[in-house]
Amino acid sequence: MFKLEEILRPNIRNAKPYSSARDEYKGKEGIFLDANENPFGSVGGHKYNRYPDPLQWKLKDKIAPLKKVKAEQVFLGNGSDEPIDLLIRALCNPGKDAIMITPPTYGMYEVSAAINDVRIVDVPLTTDYVLDVQAMLPKLTAEVKIVFLCSPNNPTGNLLPEDQIITILQHAKGLVVVDEAYIDFAPESSLLRILKNYPNLVILQTFSKAWGLAALRLGMAFASEEIVAVLNKIKPPYNINAVTQQLAYEAIGQIMKKEQMVAGILMERAYLEEELAKLPVILKVYPSDANFILVKTKNGTGMYSYLIEQKIITRDRSKVMLCDNSVRITVGTHEENEALINALKKYN
Ligand SMILES: Cc1ncc(COP(=O)(O)O)c(C=O)c1O
């Protein structure tokens, strides 16, 4: 039986959260002399003199029905990088506990663990970029407090098989975090629909990719109310600013625009996959469920540097485990993708 209480760090279990002025008085009417704000207004053209809602309820009430969860199951962070860090801090005792990662994968899990003096247990993906479940299972000890799985995976682009993720959920002693930053490009595969079955599952999503709001820094974590309550307890009080809350709220009101952009990106991805596969310099185009494509070339760093000379910036992943001579290409607009293909036609 999974018990969150038992895997939390003792200091986090016992911590008392900071109680802000907005936590203590929730009314909207009155003369507000409680938060040491400026009563006259703001410098600049806009009015931002009041602190924002620390728990962002108006925005969460908009997100919850979209994701078919309760508003209390939504945590909002300053990018999804914030819940990654908060989860590690909540569960992993520095110098003792560990997280499990499955390289090649998103780099922040390792960075956050290192900052928090938390050990990494890494079990590489197979050469087909799926989980090596047999190698993972014996390493799922009590000290491995969190397993981070990225699906669709960055930088390989593929979804991880759902049955494999479920096996890990069933055997992990702590939390399993499934990072779905790119799931809007493969929405039917989201594990949100099984969230209620697994009290140890946390799903991360973001406004940075399909919604086109990377600059606002807004990430989401979906989990049990109990896990979300812990994240709320340890987050900085006003972690999501008022502009971000308002603009994300407005964006959700225009969800069709997101769907149109996703459809455009998927069309362009198909175009790029087809054109890249024709080029002699490209040895392999990995299938993608995301808004980027990983390709294997004869010389990854050479191709990356050549493209830089053409003012086309991609990501050289040659030094990443299992990605030698590979370059990650984000899907651009049609003109941008054509420019890339034309440049590569001249390179060999
Ligand atoms: C897999 C993955 N997770 C999380 C993030 C971070 O997203 P955010 O902008 O929400 O912090 C990224 C960003 O590239 C990513 O690739």
Side-chain angles (χ1 to χ4, degrees), residues 94-153:
K96 173 174 179 285
D97 291 330
I99 64 163
M100 182 181 282
I101 60 171
T102 59
T105 192
Y106 182 50
M108 276 308 288
Y109 317 133
E110 189 167 355
V111 170
S112 276
I115 290 168
N116 289 297
D117 191 17
V118 165
R119 208 158 38 87
I120 306 277
V121 174
D122 54 5
V123 184
L125 296 177
T126 67
T127 48
D128 295 331
Y129 295 154
V130 297
L131 297 177
D132 187 347
V133 174
Q134 289 320 310
M136 292 171 79
L137 291 181
K139 294 190 172 171
L140 289 172
T141 61
E143 284 183 351
V144 174
K145 292 286 188 70
I146 311 177
V147 181
F148 282 95
L149 304 176
C150 188
S151 181
N153 187 40

Side-chain angles (χ1 to χ4, degrees), residues 23-42:
D23 288 317
E24 285 176 17
Y25 182 81
K26 294 193 169 62
K28 297 265 181 286
E29 302 294 320
I31 296 170
F32 284 88
L33 304 177
D34 57 348
N36 300 347
E37 297 153 334
N38 185 328
F40 296 116
S42 317

